[in-house]
Each structure stands twice: as structure tokens, then as C-alpha cells.
Amino acid sequence: MASATNGTERPIVALAMGDPAGISPELTAMLLADPETIERARVVVFGDRRILDRGAQEAGVTLDLGEAANVASIGDGSRPVMIDLKNLAVEDVRRGEATLEGGTFATTNFRRALEMAHAGQADAVIFTPFNKQAMRHAYPGYDDEIRFVVDVTGFKGKVREFNVLEKVWNARVTSHIPLKEVSDHLSVEAILAEVKLTHDCLKQSGIERPRIAINGLNPHAGDGGAFGMEEIEIIEPAVRAAKEAGYEVDGPFPADTVFLRAFKEGWHAVLTMYHDQGQIAMKLIGFDKGVTMMGGLPFPLCTPAHGTAYDIAGKGKADLGATREAFRLAVRMANQRRTLAAAAE
């Protein structure tokens, strides 16, 4: 995908409003009212201005937005621009409920942001939190964000979800599958593929020499085969193969200490074997700052790692921290991609 901007301009970020029944309208408004947003990128937000204005009122912020009828008329980016889809009335929002109306609103906004980036008109995409139940009401084939992105863009490459907290990333070999099936999905080839993708994404975020810690699967990383053979038969050979391929990796490490080591010893990423092996650790360490990034796409795609927080919606309690970090990561990766592309020319 060609960059939407040249090397001297701020990147263009397409921002999709998330579930209207939760804190997404407040977070969207707070991000758009943040001076650093205006300074770092040209922002185009998709959604309904009525929903956004209510979010701003509840968050206690004032918005200064331009308006555009379509992507072609977004202007010079001196301030954030909204493309008002007029796709949901305030009175149709049932606060704290996953509904067809809310899911339709969120999927429509997300689709438009993805189409903008897929067409090369945006350098990155971010979205405020979705509710998966609501999304499935509107889009029955909706398993997760990756499935929706692939359906919309037709992307054929490998896409994986990463969780990012400060300077440590969490990658994983398997994701949304039953725990009992994890072992059957592990192989040397699968682990190597994730090492490569993690390494490439870290490079695109500006890390020159990524260091990746590889998790074990079993308690105590198998304890020499006492608690399982996956480490000996699969993970250790994968670590050796990754080293031979030139990647800076080590492991397998026990799951109950690997994240402590990563933060203390300067590992840039931990590659876990399944979803909750990393998710629990990352959310305990920094729930309000965690970012989810979809790696492998032609453009950065980021969102806060937390959910829609139905219980505090509309109460002015939403914390911008993770959304701000998602925005910053998307901008950083967009800038780095342009730098790498220019160097390759």
C-alpha cells in the first residue's frame, strides 16, 4: 500500500467510533480534544456527530472539528475532521446493552475506516472499543476484529493480534481456540512464523534489534519432560531454529516468571503459546495502558486492549490512557513504515 502522505507530512489516521452503549463515544471525544492528537497526525473520524457530541458532554471536553462529506474533501488536516455518517440517533442507544443498532453503528464505522486505509488514503486505523456480542448481531460472521478486517479488505497474508504494554509486546502462537486444542496447533513451523511476524512488527515500531522471549506451554516449562513433552519436542527445536535464522530469541521460559524477566531484562516481546497465557499477565500489569495491535496488515491497526465498560458508560469515568497509547503506537508505526519504505527506494 502506498503511503497516504509524503515523508514530510503528518500521517493520516482513520478513527472509527466503537460501541455507542459503552465508553467509546467518551473516549473518541477525549482523544479528539487532546492537543497531542492534533500535533501528531491528521485524524479523520467516522461515526455520528450526535453520538460524539453526547460523548464529549459526558467526558467534559470541548470539540473543535472540521467536517467533510467524504474522504476526498478532508482538507489540510489543521484540525481533526469528522465524516458524519448520521448512522445512529441518540435516542436509539440503549446504554449498557449489546444491541443490533450498536453493532451496526460500530461495524459501519469500522468498515469505512478500513476501506480508507485499504485504498491508501490513510496511513493507520484505530478504533475505540467494540462489543463482540453487538458486532455479531450486526455481522453474523464476526469472530473477531481480524476476521472482519480480512472480510472487508480481502487481505490474504498472515494477521495476528499483539498486546502492547509500555515497551513489552505479547505475541502468541494460538489465539481464539479452546485450551484443549492448543497443543495440537503447536509446531516448529508455527512458532517460527510467529517469531518472524513479531520481529517484523517490532522493527516497524522503531526497535532496531528486537529481542523475543519464548514461553513454554506446561508448568515450569515442562520441567524436563515431567509435566509434558511439548517443550522438548516442539518449542526448544523452534527456539534453536529461530536462532539459526538470525533472530534474537531465548527460552522456553516458565509462564509464571517470563513477564517479570521481560520487563526487568529488556526483552521487547514475549511469545506465548495461547491466548490467556499472556493476556492475564499483561492486563494485571497495566490494564489502563494496554494496546491491542493487529500485525501483518499493510497498515497499522490499533485499539485499547480493554472493553466497552458498560458499567461506567456516561458517568465521566472513562480513562483515556489506553486509547491514547493506541493512537501513539499507530502514529509511530505509520511514521516508521514510511521511513523504512523511503530507505528501500
Side-chain angles (χ1 to χ4, degrees):
M1 182 195 76
S3 175
T5 57
N6 64 42
T8 62
E9 296 178 328
R10 294 174 297 159
I12 297 174
V13 176
L15 168 60
M17 292 184 67
D19 190 276
I23 61 174
S24 286
E26 296 166 72
L27 292 175
T28 306
M30 292 165 71
L31 184 66
L32 292 170
D34 182 357
E36 289 193 22
T37 300
I38 300 172
E39 295 172 1
R40 291 172 184 254
R42 300 168 61 193
V43 182
V44 180
V45 57
F46 293 93
D48 191 295
R49 183 62 191 258
R50 296 166 294 182
I51 302 296
L52 181 61
D53 284 345
R54 186 170 79 166
Q57 181 181 5
E58 293 168 343
V61 299
T62 301
L63 296 176
D64 180 19
L65 302 180
E67 295 183 1
N70 50 51
V71 172
S73 58
I74 61 175
D76 62 4
S78 58
R79 55 181 177 159
V81 171
M82 182 166 202
I83 296 180
D84 186 358
L85 303 180
K86 299 179 173 60
N87 52 345
L88 187 64
V90 170
E91 56 268 24
D92 292 332
V93 177
R94 298 206 297 270
R95 184 64 55 76
E97 294 184 33
T99 65
L100 171 62
E101 293 80 8
T104 301
F105 174 78
T107 53
T108 300
N109 301 337
F110 195 25
R111 181 183 293 275
R112 291 290 297 271
L114 291 171
E115 289 172 344
M116 184 179 178
H118 181 62
Q121 297 168 314
D123 297 292
V125 173
I126 74 167
F127 58 92
T128 49
F130 297 148
N131 179 281
K132 287 184 172 56
Q133 182 181 350
M135 300 291 264
R136 280 191 286 270
H137 286 325
Y139 194 83
Y142 190 93
D143 295 327
D144 55 25
E145 285 75 24
I146 292 176
R147 166 70 181 276
F148 188 80
V149 171
V150 170
D151 286 351
V152 170
T153 66
F155 182 67
K156 302 298 183 183
K158 182 178 180 59
V159 186
R160 177 63 78 194
E161 183 178 287
F162 294 85
N163 286 98
V164 183
L165 181 60
E166 297 174 350
K167 296 182 179 180
V168 176
W169 292 38
N170 172 216
R172 49 188 184 253
V173 181
T174 67
S175 190
H176 297 134
I177 63 172
L179 188 58
K180 66 180 181 180
E181 297 178 10
V182 169
S183 181
D184 292 338
H185 284 76
L186 298 182
S187 66
V188 172
E189 294 75 18
I191 294 171
L192 278 175
E194 298 302 333
V195 168
K196 181 183 185 305
L197 180 59
T198 303
H199 176 273
D200 291 348
C201 288
L202 286 167
K203 290 275 287 186
Q204 290 166 10
S205 75
I207 296 172
E208 287 291 326
R209 294 182 55 191
R211 301 177 64 234
I212 304 169
I214 311 295
N215 224 55
L217 172 68
N218 298 295
H220 302 281
D223 200 8
F227 306 134
M229 295 298 292
E230 287 87 354
E231 283 78 11
I232 294 172
E233 296 176 351
I234 301 173
I235 304 174
E236 290 176 7
V239 171
R240 290 195 295 270
K243 288 180 177 180
E244 291 170 0
Y247 298 106
E248 193 165 343
V249 301
D250 205 355
F253 297 112
D256 57 357
T257 58
V258 66
F259 281 91
L260 293 173
R261 294 187 61 170
F263 278 91
K264 289 181 178 180
E265 299 175 17
W267 293 93
H268 299 110
V270 176
L271 177 60
T272 54
M273 297 298 113
Y274 60 90
H275 184 279
D276 285 0
Q277 197 176 40
Q279 286 281 80
I280 293 171
M282 294 289 276
K283 290 186 177 181
L284 281 172
I285 293 169
F287 182 80
D288 292 332
K289 296 181 180 179
V291 174
T292 297
M293 192 278 290
M294 312 295 171
L297 293 165
F299 50 85
L301 174 57
C302 299
T303 188
H306 60 71
T308 48
Y310 280 167
D311 58 322
I312 62 169
K315 297 179 181 179
K317 296 181 179 180
D319 188 323
L320 185 61
T323 301
R324 184 190 291 117
E325 292 301 318
F327 178 82
R328 290 175 176 174
L329 177 60
V331 170
R332 190 165 69 246
M333 292 188 73
N335 285 330
Q336 182 67 9
R337 281 173 180 253
R338 286 190 291 164
T339 298
L340 293 173
E345 293 178 354

